[in-house]
Amino acid sequence: MHTAPEGEARILELPELVINQIAAGEVVERPASVVKELVENALDAGASEIRIDLEEGGVKLVRIVDNGCGMGPDDLRLAFQQHATSKLRSAEDLEHIGSLGFRGEALASIGSVSRARIVSRPEDSELGWEVVNEGGRIAEVREAPAARGTTIEVRDLFYNTPARRRFLKRTSTELGRCLDVLQRTALAHVGVGFTVTHDRARVFDVESSMNMRDRVRRLFGVELAESLVPVGGEDGDTRISGFVAPPRFSRRDTSRQMWFLNGRPMRDRILSRVLKEGYRGFLVEGRQPVAFLTLSMDPSKVDVNVHPTKSEVRFREERRLFGFLVNRLREAVSQTDISTPGDKLLGTAARRGGWTPREDAPGQARLPDPGAPRPWSRGGSTSGQAQGDDSTPRVREVAGRPFEEVYGDGSAVGQPAAAEESKAWDACDQFKGPFLQIDKTYIVRALPDGFEVIDQHAFHERVTYEGLRAQLRGGSVEVQRRLVPELVEVSRADIETLQPHLEGLRKIGVEVEVFGATTLAVQGLPALLRNPDPEGVVRDILAVVEKTGQAPTAEDVVEEVLHSAACRSSIMAGDELRDDSIRALLERAAELENDQTCPHARPTRVRFTLEDLEKAFHRR
Ligand code: ADP
Ligand code: MG
């Protein structure tokens, strides 16, 4: 330990450079953080056009050119100072922050770990000025020629902090992260134009006049853009708007899941849960939905000053907000085109069988030309630092091809939306029959414009589940009481687990009583269950309660119990069905909110259009 000589304090105030470098450790992790901070500054300055030039993944250069309000010499003198900001005057201001920045530490931090330069000219000035900051050494402000607005250049990030520099990944990874930030920002700020280049090649641009759907089309391709369903609603002064994509666009990562809160791209735990809830029953385990959502609310209802990078927030009325958002989302999700288009299957079959129904078969990604030069490609994750990797967009070949063609994933290439078609279908569901049952598992029925194949088990499961949900939402579940209670043997521990939840279970139509030290008596079950299996239902409930440790009144537990109850009671593959029971099933399904996937998100029906048949038979 360092011992101080007599009479000299051991505790010293840190020099400003060290303070800034410590702060930089929090705010500036990598080039993408520089991009984020500088673009936010440009937006706060009211810019309507922002140009971003990157070199070597942003490590060599990040340059941001904006046409915002600019800075005069007095501002420039302070811009690189720690805690110097024009956006906050007092502690009260923290209660309702409307700007993206406010901590006044980004420029100081960035300047302390790079060679930075700001050139700026305010609107009302004839002259421009510049100030340079080399690793924390800030030069005098000088006159310099400048266009209206501000240009900030950040070169050689971490040149003076080698330990930090070593943590940077390869160029393609750093670039991917910069682009992820820029895509999110471009979607969050409709009304602002963005132009992005890397090593002098254009990567993407969006014009200021483009709306959100246009931007999605430019960034992620036409198919996704055309299939989006709008979300909207308000609750007091909280408003949600934006789009959700049909479940088939879901991905393994969350890179196409975007929340914007008062203009700020946000990755928040609550908001991720909202999406998960909104798509419950529509997605298979492990898939992430695609959605672009804007939330605006009174800044005093949300605390953004939780984390230095401001990507986490705290909501004041979390529960209410949660319920409101989930309902609006579910509404929109159920309106997306959920049916499995048969043409996708034909595409798959075609590839398997080795024939090509058409030049660019749907479902077949047009692969990048392997001969094309590769300015960059996506790097695999090289070190143990996998954190945040799901935010990295896939960067593939770009040379000489339109950005969206390359940058969208395979599914986003070239096909028009199926939404129009599905509307036509809905109008002509006639339940007429005749129906053809195949292998006691599938039902085939003719439709005016093709035919569809129904998986009878999955379909019945969905019908039962939705029926139960509807009754539950309506306030009461119809119960079928048993003449003689069914006794189920369980362990003492099981009884303890279940006892506190018996009242909650009653609300969802499951009437169970404790009958002995190790016996439960099932008195009644929801009437919608066909061939109810009381013992199975009790065991499922036990499993769910144990797994989640929650009362069965919590929505997700209820849903799980309903899922498994529906599944247990469904017509199984292998049941022979008569025309009239098929018809009854179809009619019940027609009244449901969603009948296109089973509660575990397997498809329940696959539709083939005449067009698909024509393709299959090479008639077109
Ligand atoms: P913060 O954004 O939290 O205020 P920064 O360190 O990012 O802190 O910026 C410090 C100040 O510099 C800002 O408050 C703003 O007044 C000014 N500034 C930064 N970038 C720009 C820009 N592009 N145009 C105009 N002013 C800017
Ligand atoms: Mg800032």
Side-chain angles (χ1 to χ4, degrees):
M1 220 222 312
H2 195 77
T3 46
E6 196 85 26
E8 203 178 299
R10 267 191 307 129
I11 301 179
L12 299 173
E13 279 192 50
L14 289 171
E16 182 151 315
L17 176 62
V18 182
I19 294 176
N20 288 342
Q21 288 189 347
I22 290 172
E26 289 179 333
V27 184
V28 191
E29 240 191 308
R30 48 185 6 109
S33 8
V34 174
V35 169
K36 171 177 176 291
E37 293 296 336
L38 298 187
V39 171
E40 284 186 358
N41 281 347
L43 290 163
D44 281 344
S48 62
E49 289 294 336
I50 304 177
R51 181 188 171 95
I52 300 99
D53 298 315
L54 305 168
E55 285 177 24
E56 290 179 15
V59 179
K60 187 162 169 227
L61 171 72
V62 175
R63 182 196 297 121
I64 314 273
V65 185
D66 72 53
N67 64 351
C69 65
M71 283 175 276
D74 296 337
D75 289 334
L76 278 184
R77 230 158 265 134
L78 285 171
F80 280 124
Q81 302 296 326
Q82 173 86 312
H83 304 307
T85 176
S86 56
K87 302 166 195 173
L88 203 61
R89 292 277 172 256
S90 65
E92 278 111 74
D93 291 351
L94 268 177
E95 295 295 310
H96 41 80
I97 291 165
S99 57
L100 296 168
F102 58 83
R103 299 168 69 110
E105 56 189 7
L107 288 182
S109 303
I110 292 169
S112 73
V113 292
S114 70
R115 300 180 223 271
R117 189 174 88 116
I118 309 176
V119 188
S120 194
R121 176 158 76 82
E123 209 167 358
D124 53 10
S125 164
E126 304 268 297
L127 288 172
W129 285 273
E130 78 167 358
V131 62
V132 175
N133 183 349
E134 245 199 67
R137 273 175 308 161
I138 306 168
E140 287 298 308
V141 173
R142 287 194 314 214
E143 226 179 274
R148 197 204 122 193
T150 304
T151 296
I152 305 193
E153 285 177 355
V154 176
R155 291 181 188 275
D156 306 321
L157 186 63
F158 299 144
Y159 82 99
N160 56 350
T161 50
R164 304 282 305 284
R165 199 177 171 99
R166 273 195 295 276
F167 271 102
L168 293 178
K169 302 275 174 60
R170 59 174 93 179
T171 301
S172 56
T173 309
E174 295 302 342
L175 175 63
R177 299 198 186 193
C178 292
L179 294 182
D180 183 58
V181 168
L182 289 168
Q183 286 171 347
R184 286 172 195 269
T185 311
L187 287 166
H189 295 276
V190 170
V192 180
F194 293 85
T195 305
V196 182
T197 71
H198 182 250
D199 291 344
R200 276 155 225 217
R202 171 87 46 120
V203 183
F204 76 81
D205 53 4
V206 295
E207 288 107 65
S208 55
S209 60
M210 287 176 142
N211 63 24
M212 195 191 249
R213 202 192 281 268
D214 292 340
R215 288 170 189 237
V216 170
R217 185 182 295 110
R218 180 65 65 81
L219 295 172
F220 304 127
V222 62
E223 190 191 357
L224 176 58
E226 300 302 326
S227 316
L228 295 175
V229 168
V231 180
E234 32 194 296
D235 178 24
D237 48 17
T238 302
R239 261 192 308 131
I240 177 158
S241 61
F243 296 100
V244 291
R248 72 192 140 97
F249 286 93
S250 67
R251 323 162 46 91
R252 235 170 297 141
D253 58 41
T254 54
S255 60
R256 302 279 155 79
Q257 231 170 62
M258 307 197 185
W259 279 102
F260 310 115
L261 171 63
N262 293 342
R264 193 190 297 279
M266 192 64 44
R267 242 175 236 288
D268 180 81
R269 212 172 27 87
I270 306 288
L271 298 181
S272 317
R273 270 188 40 220
V274 165
L275 261 177
K276 193 171 160 214
E277 233 16 75
Y279 275 85
R280 181 186 284 284
F282 294 101
L283 281 183
V284 244
E285 230 4 70
R287 299 293 289 182
Q288 298 290 343
V290 171
F292 308 94
L293 299 162
T294 301
L295 187 58
S296 51
M297 59 199 304
D298 182 343
S300 67
K301 290 210 172 125
V302 51
D303 187 359
V304 289
N305 191 19
V306 183
H307 192 266
T309 64
K310 311 175 204 98
S311 64
E312 253 173 63
V313 293
R314 223 165 269 147
F315 295 107
R316 302 229 199 278
E317 295 171 12
E318 194 177 297
R319 292 203 100 173
R320 178 176 177 150
L321 180 70
F322 191 82
F324 161 67
L325 293 178
V326 169
N327 287 335
R328 292 290 84 79
L329 275 186
R330 267 203 92 77
E331 236 167 59
V333 171
S334 65
Q335 279 165 36
T336 60
D337 176 20
I338 299 170
S339 68
T340 303
D343 63 352
K344 284 253 144 67
L345 299 189
L346 288 181
T348 317
R351 261 171 294 148
R352 255 190 231 125
W355 53 268
T356 318
R358 233 179 37 182
E359 262 277 1
D360 51 345
Q364 268 180 317
R366 242 177 282 154
L367 293 176
D369 174 9
R374 299 165 186 235
W376 65 76
S377 61
R378 179 173 151 77
S381 125
T382 42
S383 79
Q385 275 209 330
Q387 40 98 287
D389 237 45
D390 67 351
S391 66
T392 316
R394 257 164 261 280
V395 178
R396 298 207 201 116
E397 282 75 356
V398 281
R401 340 182 100 242
F403 182 71
E404 62 269 34
E405 195 179 292
V406 182
Y407 205 76
D409 59 3
S411 65
V413 177
Q415 278 304 300
E420 304 291 290
E421 285 170 30
S422 84
K423 266 185 220 112
W425 285 118
D426 291 345
C428 36
D429 278 2
Q430 294 295 323
F431 323 115
K432 277 223 189 77
F435 308 104
L436 175 63
Q437 202 190 14
I438 296 178
D439 198 25
K440 295 187 190 157
T441 302
Y442 304 104
I443 301 163
V444 180
R445 75 158 160 166
L447 291 170
D449 186 26
F451 69 97
E452 78 173 355
V453 185
I454 299 170
D455 175 328
Q456 65 183 46
H457 176 57
F459 188 62
H460 186 252
E461 206 175 307
R462 171 56 83 177
V463 173
T464 308
Y465 167 70
E466 291 289 344
L468 284 170
R469 257 175 57 100
Q471 288 190 355
L472 195 64
R473 253 177 285 136
S476 69
V477 177
E478 205 183 316
V479 177
Q480 175 77 54
R481 291 256 152 57
R482 307 182 72 84
L483 285 177
V484 184
E486 168 114 359
L487 301 184
V488 182
E489 278 302 306
V490 292
S491 70
R492 275 170 199 277
D494 286 343
I495 296 217
E496 254 167 58
T497 310
L498 216 53
Q499 191 129 37
H501 302 312
L502 294 180
E503 196 42 48
L505 286 169
R506 187 176 299 275
K507 295 207 182 85
I508 63 172
V510 178
E511 303 190 347
V512 180
E513 281 163 21
V514 177
F515 199 70
T518 59
T519 313
L520 292 168
V522 181
Q523 310 276 12
L525 287 173
L528 270 184
L529 299 185
R530 183 179 176 273
N531 317 320
D533 163 16
E535 171 155 12
V537 171
V538 166
R539 301 221 182 276
D540 286 345
I541 290 170
L542 274 167
V544 171
V545 174
E546 263 162 27
K547 194 175 82 192
T548 58
Q550 273 173 321
T553 39
E555 178 146 352
D556 47 346
V557 178
V558 168
E559 302 241 339
E560 267 198 62
V561 170
L562 295 187
H563 272 181
S564 49
C567 183
R568 282 192 176 276
S569 80
S570 291
I571 300 173
M572 298 309 251
D575 286 1
E576 206 155 338
L577 295 181
R578 287 204 325 270
D579 271 14
D580 50 350
S581 38
I582 295 175
R583 190 170 307 124
L585 188 58
L586 288 170
E587 273 165 359
R588 252 169 77 198
E591 290 160 14
L592 298 178
E593 193 184 303
N594 163 45
D595 64 352
Q596 304 287 351
T597 57
C598 85
H600 305 107
R602 273 196 299 130
T604 61
R605 28 166 89 177
V606 174
R607 285 169 175 176
F608 294 87
T609 60
L610 288 177
E611 205 184 308
D612 296 332
L613 293 175
E614 284 165 6
K615 272 187 244 158
F617 290 106
H618 295 215
R619 282 172 183 263
R620 23 156 85 205

